[in-house]
Amino acid sequence: VIHSFSDSVEDVKLLLNLDGTYIGIHGCSLKTGDNLNVVREIPIDRLMIETDCPWCGIKKSHDSMKYVKTQFEQVGNKTNHSMNKLVKGRSEPCNIVQVLEVIAGVKDIDIDELADIIYQNTLSVFFPNNDDIKSNDIDSNDMDNNDVNEWKAWLIKQQQL
């Protein structure tokens, strides 16, 4: 996985020529119009999303902000942090939905379809011996405690935010 990719279209094409390479995208990968053009060039079956917490959230000044639908209540000072509010300027795990929204908007693809493909990409990289795992195989009300099911449940929950 090429973490935190924010280079050129030419560079992404070179990297994608390497077998098994996935491109990781987060808020800092989505700052400019050029960045969004690069994202358009990444095949969705080679795409990963990330937040790079606590850095690299999507900011109001980013070209990608126009695609963000999900907003989170924020506080201006980390000493006022609470379970229901994010610290302003800090990227948190829940912000991954915003990265997903931007990529879905840029690529003009259904967000649920994109989330499912990225979920399958995640399984391919991090759980390569579990090819038969699919998101519809999981009953979130009847989860056992093994690591794979916990990870799958978390990913599915992120899709639902």
Side-chain angles (χ1 to χ4, degrees):
V1 177
I2 308 300
H3 165 65
S4 185
F5 189 82
S6 60
D7 289 325
S8 68
V9 169
E10 294 78 19
D11 288 341
V12 82
K13 287 180 179 181
L14 285 171
L15 290 167
L16 289 170
N17 283 327
L18 301 171
D19 287 338
T21 301
Y22 290 80
I23 307 297
I25 300 296
H26 57 54
C28 290
S29 307
L30 302 167
K31 286 182 181 179
T32 69
D34 286 343
N35 294 144
L36 299 179
N37 288 333
V38 170
V39 168
R40 284 185 188 96
E41 296 295 321
I42 302 171
I44 56 177
D45 65 341
R46 305 284 292 279
L47 184 62
M48 294 281 190
I49 58 175
E50 50 185 285
T51 60
D52 205 25
C53 302
W55 321 112
C56 295
I58 297 172
K59 310 281 188 214
K60 290 180 181 180
S61 61
H62 292 183
D63 283 358
S64 58
M65 184 53 94
K66 63 187 167 198
Y67 296 104
V68 173
K69 297 175 183 170
T70 304
Q71 300 294 327
F72 298 98
E73 193 171 349
Q74 299 181 351
V75 295
N77 185 317
K78 66 182 177 182
T79 59
N80 295 331
H81 178 264
S82 74
M83 292 296 291
N84 299 323
K85 297 178 184 178
L86 303 182
V87 176
K88 186 176 181 178
R90 182 186 292 170
S91 181
E92 300 285 356
C94 61
N95 293 115
I96 201 150
V97 69
Q98 295 175 329
V99 176
L100 184 68
E101 290 168 346
V102 170
I103 296 170
V106 165
K107 288 186 163 291
D108 194 26
I109 185 172
D110 177 75
I111 194 167
D112 293 325
E113 179 183 347
L114 179 62
D116 190 52
I117 291 167
I118 292 172
Y119 171 73
Q120 293 303 321
N121 294 349
T122 303
L123 293 177
S124 295
V125 170
F126 297 105
F127 304 101
N129 298 322
N130 292 309
D131 293 333
D132 58 328
I133 298 172
K134 304 238 185 312
S135 60
N136 58 0
D137 291 339
I138 302 167
D139 179 357
S140 60
N141 296 320
D142 186 32
M143 297 296 295
D144 63 28
N145 287 327
N146 73 47
D147 290 341
V148 172
N149 278 340
E150 287 180 24
W151 179 243
K152 292 187 300 184
W154 181 85
L155 288 170
I156 289 169
K157 185 168 178 77
Q158 298 312 305
Q159 289 182 33
Q160 296 169 352
L161 290 179

